[in-house]
Amino acid sequence: MKNRWVLFVPLAIMGLLFGAFVYRLVTPAETLIQSQWIDKPMPLFDLLPATAGVEGLKSSQLADGRPRLVNVFASWCIPCRAEAPQLEALKAAGVPIDGIAIRDRPEDVAMFLREYGNPFDRIGSDMQSSVQIALGSSGVPETFLIDGKGIIREQIQGVILADQVPGIVAKLEAMK
């Protein structure tokens, strides 16, 4: 009679496991992967031009004293098309923008730029995604705010929205 409580131990364990299961369903894990390069210098790279008529991109060019954006994109990326007007608005606001084209053919990059505009000063071709991986970029589009010394200060994962443009401009102005 004294040990009847022992019969409820398996039921209590099952209840705890069920509670943990329900908790994980209600609060899913974070799916965005934050770059480990935040507040560190841009990793070293030297990318060939992604298309004719546009200069390639070297990491050494990102430490010219001007804060800027580095946008990781691809012509085959549907969200990159949606982001194009915001990049044009940033360029119109005087923001220098460099691009890294991921796994893209030169003719496809050229067609993308003709159709959606070219806000980029330079575009490097990252055919093997080696720079993308080195940056800790988890997809396209993805944008990095770089200070004038070539230090990555912020990562924007996904499409830049129109209401984010003034804040990005202000952040880059504050880096001057």
Side-chain angles (χ1 to χ4, degrees), residues 35-103:
S35 173
Q36 298 302 306
W37 287 90
I38 305 299
D39 294 328
K40 295 178 182 169
M42 183 67 86
L44 298 176
F45 62 84
D46 185 353
L47 297 173
L48 296 172
T51 191
V54 180
E55 185 182 342
L57 183 62
K58 299 176 186 176
S59 55
S60 61
Q61 294 169 314
L62 303 175
D64 66 356
R66 296 184 315 153
R68 63 186 341 97
L69 298 180
V70 172
N71 181 258
V72 180
F73 76 101
S75 66
W76 45 262
C77 163
I78 302 301
C80 296
R81 297 171 185 185
E83 183 179 61
Q86 287 71 254
L87 294 178
E88 288 289 343
L90 287 161
K91 179 181 179 179
V95 173
I97 305 171
D98 291 310
I100 298 176
I102 304 301
R103 298 182 309 274

Side-chain angles (χ1 to χ4, degrees), residues 78-152:
I78 302 301
C80 296
R81 297 171 185 185
E83 183 179 61
Q86 287 71 254
L87 294 178
E88 288 289 343
L90 287 161
K91 179 181 179 179
V95 173
I97 305 171
D98 291 310
I100 298 176
I102 304 301
R103 298 182 309 274
D104 230 331
R105 298 181 315 174
E107 58 272 18
D108 293 335
V109 172
M111 187 170 54
F112 179 88
L113 297 176
R114 276 193 307 277
E115 190 169 341
Y116 298 100
N118 182 4
F120 304 107
D121 294 340
R122 299 172 287 244
I123 306 172
S125 176
D126 191 9
M127 290 300 289
Q128 305 304 317
S129 297
S130 57
V131 174
Q132 180 187 28
I133 291 167
L135 281 168
S137 170
S138 59
V140 288
E142 198 156 336
T143 305
F144 294 88
L145 281 69
I146 313 296
D147 71 12
K149 296 177 183 171
I151 308 293
I152 300 171

